[in-house]
């Protein structure tokens, strides 16, 4: 009986040795990729990042002084940096109570209620903050995108309230309680109550629902003004967008 030829011994491969090799290959690939990423960032023109931490340099034409351009555009909208963006009519109802005393003893009260319809208020937006490029952001690339400006929400200008003077729009009620009506020299309080109308009109016009309406109406107007003021300095297909801060 002949002896069978000895079989060649083949090395046995343990599959567990394949994972360290694969991990090493992946790590090398990541390091090489990181080198290329760093190199690509270094190759980006310095003017894009020069003083522009939020990347708005991509929104403007080359060689433009961004800070100066923005400052001039904003001041061109309003020299006082307070842009009027709308107005509204509001009704105001106020009530004033005055005690009546005789020789130091309370003998009654006079309650004056005044309703004034059709008062007018103005809404303004302060612009001082956006004169700095720090309040601007850009989303896009050199081919176009959105240049966003962060603006405070509109507010009522307390210095520009027009109180209604038409008697047909004013209703006054005076209630003399207890013995107050026997003192003929006691004033009805209407003139004093009128001074409260301005403050109440501002309060009514500052309600959230009215402020949101003012935002909706003001945003496209401000966007159009800034777009026109900045157009010659912006890259093609860059659009200005207002973002309200609340």
């Amino acid at each position: 009986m002949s002896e069978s030829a000895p079989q060649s011994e083949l090395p046995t491969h343990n599959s567990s040795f394949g994972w360290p090799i694969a991990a090493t290959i992946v790590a090398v690939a990541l390091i090489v990729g990181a080198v290329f990423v760093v190199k690509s960032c270094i190759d980006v023109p310095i003017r894009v990042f020069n003083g522009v931490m939020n990347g708005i340099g991509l929104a403007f034409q080359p060689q433009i002084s961004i800070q100066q351009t923005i400052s001039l555009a904003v001041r061109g909208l309003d020299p006082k940096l307070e842009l009027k963006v709308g107005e509204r009519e509001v009704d105001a109802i106020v009530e004033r109570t005055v005690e009546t005393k005789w020789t130091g003893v309370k003998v009654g009260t006079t309650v004056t209620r005044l309703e004034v319809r059709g008062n007018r208020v103005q809404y303004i937006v302060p612009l001082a903050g956006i004169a700095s490029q720090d309040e601007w952001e850009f989303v896009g690339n050199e081919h176009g995108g959105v240049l966003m400006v962060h603006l405070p929400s509109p507010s009522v200008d307390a210095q520009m309230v027009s109180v209604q003077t038409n008697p047909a729009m004013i209703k006054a009620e005076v209630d003399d309680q207890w013995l107050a009506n026997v003192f003929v020299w006691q004033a009805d309080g209407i003139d004093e109550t009128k001074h409260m109308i301005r403050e109440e009109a501002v309060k009514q016009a500052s309600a959230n629902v009215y402020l949101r309406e003012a935002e909706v109406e003001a945003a496209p107007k401000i966007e159009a003004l800034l777009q026109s003021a900045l157009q010659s300095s912006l890259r093609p297909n860059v659009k200005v967008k207002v973002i309200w801060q609340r």
Side-chain angles (χ1 to χ4, degrees), residues 46-71 130-142 144-150 230 233-235 238-239 241:
I46 297 299
R47 63 175 175 80
V48 173
F49 298 98
N50 185 20
V52 188
M53 299 305 293
N54 55 1
I56 66 172
L58 285 173
F60 289 83
Q61 297 282 358
Q63 310 306 322
I64 289 293
S65 174
I66 298 175
Q67 179 58 67
Q68 182 180 10
T69 300
I70 288 177
S71 180
I130 66 167
S132 168
Q133 68 185 50
D134 294 337
E135 295 300 323
W136 299 69
E137 291 181 287
F138 180 64
V139 177
N141 53 38
E142 64 273 12
V146 179
L147 181 61
M148 299 178 291
V149 54
H150 295 264
L230 295 171
S233 301
L234 296 175
R235 291 179 183 268
V238 173
K239 301 298 181 183
K241 176 70 175 179

Side-chain angles (χ1 to χ4, degrees), residues 164-175:
Q164 179 66 258
T165 59
N166 183 357
M169 304 289 284
I170 301 174
K171 180 181 179 182
E173 297 178 357
V174 180
D175 181 14

Side-chain angles (χ1 to χ4, degrees), residues 84-105:
K84 175 186 173 182
V85 295
E87 59 181 39
R88 173 182 300 279
E89 283 192 359
V90 292
D91 300 336
I93 300 176
V94 294
E95 192 173 278
R96 180 174 180 265
T97 301
V98 178
E99 291 185 351
T100 302
K101 293 184 178 181
W102 176 254
T103 64
V105 179

Side-chain angles (χ1 to χ4, degrees), residues 107-161:
V107 295
T109 57
T110 299
V111 180
T112 304
R113 185 178 185 274
L114 196 61
E115 179 180 348
V116 181
R117 292 177 287 129
N119 308 285
R120 298 196 69 83
V121 300
Q122 291 186 5
Y123 292 94
I124 59 173
V125 171
L127 302 176
I130 66 167
S132 168
Q133 68 185 50
D134 294 337
E135 295 300 323
W136 299 69
E137 291 181 287
F138 180 64
V139 177
N141 53 38
E142 64 273 12
H143 302 296
V146 179
L147 181 61
M148 299 178 291
V149 54
H150 295 264
L151 273 170
S153 181
S155 60
V156 178
D157 187 351
Q159 305 302 317
M160 296 298 292
V161 178

Side-chain angles (χ1 to χ4, degrees), residues 21-77:
I21 296 174
T24 303
I25 295 174
V26 171
V28 172
L30 290 175
I31 294 173
V32 173
V35 171
F36 282 110
V37 170
V38 171
K39 184 179 183 302
S40 64
C41 290
I42 295 175
D43 291 340
V44 174
I46 297 299
R47 63 175 175 80
V48 173
F49 298 98
N50 185 20
V52 188
M53 299 305 293
N54 55 1
I56 66 172
L58 285 173
F60 289 83
Q61 297 282 358
Q63 310 306 322
I64 289 293
S65 174
I66 298 175
Q67 179 58 67
Q68 182 180 10
T69 300
I70 288 177
S71 180
L72 290 175
V74 171
R75 292 185 180 279
L77 299 186

